[in-house]
């Protein structure tokens, strides 16, 4: 039997809607994909464990803290392929809306930003690491995700 590919799903600053979309996709694809993929990381389904080498990391959400930057770099280091999932990871939206607040609004949220250890601006993941592919949408386009995943499995 062919070796399963190791995949991980990781969430940063976002609503985690792309991960929910992936779980919805499993309603259709679970029995087929479970023979081919080994899900190592997916907070909604599995116990969190230290990050180890994997074939594909799927990342949703934008980056808003120093600890997220460190974790993202660790994921990049351990992933042969890194795929950005959804608009938050690809271009920062909608998590980055606060970047364009006016001065009054920025002052209003300043205390909260400090309390949550957030950095000044919210950014897409490619500001910090190289990405190998992306699946757009908010949430992701499910048909496109299936097509991409089957492409990775048959590569
Ligand atoms: S891209 Fe949209 S749906 Fe996906 S995690 Fe970000 S905010 Fe949620």
């Amino acid at each position: 039997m062919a070796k399963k590919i190791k995949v991980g799903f990781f969430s940063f600053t976002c609503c985690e809607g792309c991960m929910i979309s992936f779980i919805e996709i499993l309603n259709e694809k679970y029995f087929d994909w479970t023979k081919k993929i080994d899900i190592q990381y997916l907070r909604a389904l599995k116990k969190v464990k230290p990050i180890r080498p994997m074939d594909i990391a799927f990342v949703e959400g934008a980056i808003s803290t120093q600890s997220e930057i460190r974790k993202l770099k660790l994921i990049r280091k351990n992933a042969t392929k890194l795929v950005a999932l959804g608009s938050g990871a690809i271009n920062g939206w909608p998590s980055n809306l606060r970047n364009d607040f006016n001065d009054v609004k920025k002052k209003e949220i300043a205390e909260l930003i400090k309390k949550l250890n957030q950095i000044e601006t919210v950014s897409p993941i490619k500001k910090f690491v190289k990405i190998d592919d992306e699946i757009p949408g908010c949430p992701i386009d499910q048909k496109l995700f299936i097509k991409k995943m089957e492409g990775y499995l048959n590569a």
Side-chain angles (χ1 to χ4, degrees), residues 69 84 86 123:
I69 297 171
S123 304

Side-chain angles (χ1 to χ4, degrees), residues 7 14 40 47 51 65 80 82 104 137:
V7 301
C14 65
Q40 301 264 309
K47 206 171 148 196
I51 293 169
T65 66
T80 306
L82 191 152
V104 176

Side-chain angles (χ1 to χ4, degrees), residues 14-18 60-61 85-88 93-94 137-140:
C14 65
C15 76
E16 303 194 23
C18 290
E60 72 170 356
L85 282 189
S87 66
W93 188 89
C138 182
I140 45 165

Side-chain angles (χ1 to χ4, degrees), residues 5-10 37-41 52-59 75-76 78-84 132-133 145 148-149 151-153 155:
I5 64 165
K6 289 183 184 168
V7 301
F9 291 84
F10 301 92
I37 67 175
D38 175 8
I39 299 176
Q40 301 264 309
Y41 309 93
R52 302 261 185 263
M54 70 198 99
D55 299 299
I56 310 175
F58 293 94
V59 176
I75 293 165
R76 175 69 275 186
N78 279 280
T80 306
K81 186 193 282 284
L82 191 152
V83 181
D132 301 298
D133 203 356
F145 183 91
K148 294 258 189 187
M149 180 67 110
Y152 305 146
L153 292 174

